[in-house]
Amino acid sequence: MNKKEISEIKKQFTPENCSITRICGCYVDGEKNKKTELKEAFLSLSEEEMFKYFEIFRKSLSGTVGKNLMNMEFPLDQEAEGGTQHFLMRLRSSKLTDDELVENFYDRIIENYDYPENYYIILIHGVYDIPGKSSDGAEMFDASDEIYDHIMCCICPVKLSKAGLCYNAETNSIQDRIRDWIVEMPEVAFLFPQFNDRSTDIHGVLYYSKNTNELRDIFIDELLGCTAPLSAGGQKDSFNALVEETLGDDCNYDTVMNIHEKLNELIESQKDEPEPVVLTKSEVKRLFEDCGVEDEKLQSFDEQYEINAGEKSSLVASNITNTRRFEIKTPDVVVHVDPERAALVETKLIDGVKCLVIPMEGDVELNGIRIHTGEKSVSDEEDSLDE
């Protein structure tokens, strides 16, 4: 699913567009005991409750594709009878009215979700009547030709509210606030099936993780039967190791800066596309070639890629570079540079020492205090002209 398709489903989680038919919930304590359960038609909830649930569901479809939101495909064996995809198909077909299936689903989560505190499992079933589209892209609500029948699961931490004082209107006094157990925004969630090309795709699932560096590989493997992709942090670490191992002694400032500049240019050129920029092994190799990495160094590239990232893994460009700033770090100094001004930083040999050289142009501040650099700044010149 790309960001346009995700946005289309996300818009259904509003009072005006609501397509949710049923909601089930299970509150689990830190000892993995089921404390209470919910099974209702969604529209039977109070308006206040619905709004709170809508907020949770929209959050489960938020973030960046390839970072918080990951498309995963089911292995073929999981689509056979007894597989994880086959189980989810049964759960969807039941419209969450089969109590035994729902309880089985809760049990699978409780067994594989490693979380030491209280949490709330939310499971919904929805039926979205997909509007047709005319040749100019306009929606035709009277020309629907497909139903997107889906389920969504969210797992939310439940935490005790902070202690404090509050105003009691009945007694007109300030008093100790009663602490409540609050359902927070989800840590993980998934949508099944995928909504690809504005159509149902039963061969994949969209997975959400609040923590982009911890995707819960065991949970994904056991509950969904999918192979967890590298996390955003894992992709960055793998790419950094790949650059260092491939370039070896040639891993110098200019080459690494060139690699990141080209990555940023690639992201910028496709910023309006619904799909994130994804690099395969061959595309990463081509990137290195374009940045002047010698053929001799690239002889070990394939081996290094498989060791660090995995043979069939791809890397999301926005996960392996920072489009907002470059960070140059030494044991004693950290310098942050706007990527568009990266050319200002140079490396020079001064008195036999390799140094970073940064021109002191314009206004310069030290701990918020504007300092003089020996030359008049633009603002100084303007002040003198005013006088």
Short mmCIF file of all heavy atoms in Angstrom, two decimals, residues 8 57 61-63 159 170-171 178 270 289 306 319 323 345 351 373:
data_model
loop_
_atom_site.label_atom_id
_atom_site.label_comp_id
_atom_site.label_asym_id
_atom_site.label_seq_id
_atom_site.Cartn_x
_atom_site.Cartn_y
_atom_site.Cartn_z
N GLU A 8 -6.75 6.83 1.87
CA GLU A 8 -8.15 6.55 1.51
C GLU A 8 -8.84 5.72 2.59
O GLU A 8 -9.99 5.98 2.94
CB GLU A 8 -8.20 5.84 0.16
CG GLU A 8 -9.63 5.60 -0.33
CD GLU A 8 -9.70 5.12 -1.77
OE1 GLU A 8 -8.66 5.14 -2.46
OE2 GLU A 8 -10.79 4.70 -2.20
N PHE A 57 -7.59 4.34 15.55
CA PHE A 57 -7.50 3.70 14.24
C PHE A 57 -6.72 4.56 13.25
O PHE A 57 -5.92 4.04 12.46
CB PHE A 57 -8.90 3.41 13.70
CG PHE A 57 -9.74 2.53 14.60
CD1 PHE A 57 -11.12 2.66 14.63
CD2 PHE A 57 -9.15 1.60 15.44
CE1 PHE A 57 -11.89 1.87 15.47
CE2 PHE A 57 -9.90 0.80 16.29
CZ PHE A 57 -11.28 0.94 16.30
N LEU A 61 -2.66 4.08 11.16
CA LEU A 61 -2.34 4.22 9.73
C LEU A 61 -1.55 5.50 9.48
O LEU A 61 -1.59 6.08 8.40
CB LEU A 61 -3.63 4.25 8.90
CG LEU A 61 -4.45 2.96 8.88
CD1 LEU A 61 -5.70 3.13 8.02
CD2 LEU A 61 -3.62 1.78 8.36
N SER A 62 -0.81 5.94 10.49
CA SER A 62 -0.04 7.18 10.37
C SER A 62 1.45 6.87 10.34
O SER A 62 1.88 5.75 10.63
CB SER A 62 -0.36 8.12 11.53
OG SER A 62 0.06 7.54 12.76
N GLY A 63 2.23 7.88 10.00
CA GLY A 63 3.67 7.69 9.92
C GLY A 63 4.13 7.54 8.48
O GLY A 63 3.40 7.80 7.53
N LYS A 159 -2.07 2.55 30.79
CA LYS A 159 -1.21 3.04 31.86
C LYS A 159 -1.98 3.91 32.84
O LYS A 159 -2.97 4.55 32.47
CB LYS A 159 -0.02 3.81 31.28
CG LYS A 159 0.89 2.93 30.41
CD LYS A 159 2.14 3.67 29.97
CE LYS A 159 3.05 2.75 29.18
NZ LYS A 159 4.28 3.44 28.72
N GLU A 170 -18.32 20.12 41.97
CA GLU A 170 -19.44 19.85 42.88
C GLU A 170 -19.18 20.41 44.27
O GLU A 170 -20.07 20.94 44.93
CB GLU A 170 -19.71 18.35 42.95
CG GLU A 170 -20.24 17.76 41.65
CD GLU A 170 -20.53 16.27 41.77
OE1 GLU A 170 -20.35 15.74 42.89
OE2 GLU A 170 -20.94 15.66 40.77
N THR A 171 -17.94 20.27 44.72
CA THR A 171 -17.59 20.75 46.07
C THR A 171 -16.90 22.11 46.03
O THR A 171 -16.58 22.67 47.07
CB THR A 171 -16.68 19.74 46.78
OG1 THR A 171 -15.46 19.60 46.01
CG2 THR A 171 -17.35 18.39 46.89
N ILE A 178 -8.37 11.51 41.17
CA ILE A 178 -8.46 10.05 41.13
C ILE A 178 -7.67 9.55 39.92
O ILE A 178 -7.87 10.01 38.80
CB ILE A 178 -9.93 9.59 41.03
CG1 ILE A 178 -10.71 10.02 42.26
CG2 ILE A 178 -10.00 8.08 40.85
CD1 ILE A 178 -12.19 9.73 42.17
N GLN A 270 11.62 12.62 -6.25
CA GLN A 270 10.43 11.78 -6.22
C GLN A 270 9.53 12.08 -5.01
O GLN A 270 8.73 11.25 -4.60
CB GLN A 270 10.83 10.30 -6.21
CG GLN A 270 11.62 9.89 -7.44
CD GLN A 270 11.89 8.40 -7.48
OE1 GLN A 270 11.04 7.58 -7.14
NE2 GLN A 270 13.10 8.02 -7.90
N GLU A 289 28.76 3.33 -7.74
CA GLU A 289 29.49 3.55 -8.99
C GLU A 289 29.40 5.00 -9.42
O GLU A 289 30.40 5.62 -9.83
CB GLU A 289 28.95 2.64 -10.10
CG GLU A 289 29.24 1.17 -9.88
CD GLU A 289 28.50 0.28 -10.87
OE1 GLU A 289 27.53 0.77 -11.51
OE2 GLU A 289 28.89 -0.89 -11.01
N GLU A 306 24.96 -8.83 1.24
CA GLU A 306 24.24 -9.97 1.81
C GLU A 306 24.53 -10.12 3.30
O GLU A 306 23.66 -10.47 4.09
CB GLU A 306 24.62 -11.24 1.05
CG GLU A 306 24.09 -11.26 -0.38
CD GLU A 306 24.63 -12.42 -1.20
OE1 GLU A 306 25.08 -13.41 -0.57
OE2 GLU A 306 24.60 -12.34 -2.44
N ASN A 319 15.32 6.12 5.06
CA ASN A 319 15.79 5.48 6.29
C ASN A 319 17.31 5.50 6.41
O ASN A 319 17.85 5.35 7.50
CB ASN A 319 15.33 4.02 6.35
CG ASN A 319 13.84 3.90 6.62
OD1 ASN A 319 13.21 4.84 7.08
ND2 ASN A 319 13.27 2.73 6.34
N THR A 323 17.49 13.88 5.29
CA THR A 323 17.28 14.96 4.33
C THR A 323 17.28 16.33 4.99
O THR A 323 17.31 17.35 4.29
CB THR A 323 15.95 14.76 3.58
OG1 THR A 323 14.88 14.70 4.53
CG2 THR A 323 15.97 13.48 2.76
N VAL A 345 31.37 23.11 4.04
CA VAL A 345 32.32 22.40 4.90
C VAL A 345 33.37 21.72 4.02
O VAL A 345 33.05 20.95 3.12
CB VAL A 345 31.60 21.34 5.76
CG1 VAL A 345 32.59 20.67 6.70
CG2 VAL A 345 30.47 21.99 6.56
N ASP A 351 48.87 22.94 8.95
CA ASP A 351 50.02 22.63 9.84
C ASP A 351 50.16 21.13 10.06
O ASP A 351 50.43 20.66 11.18
CB ASP A 351 49.87 23.34 11.19
CG ASP A 351 49.90 24.86 11.05
OD1 ASP A 351 50.54 25.33 10.08
OD2 ASP A 351 49.30 25.54 11.89
N THR A 373 33.16 38.60 14.00
CA THR A 373 34.17 37.72 13.39
C THR A 373 35.28 38.49 12.71
O THR A 373 36.07 37.93 11.97
CB THR A 373 33.51 36.79 12.36
OG1 THR A 373 32.89 37.59 11.34
CG2 THR A 373 32.46 35.91 13.02
#
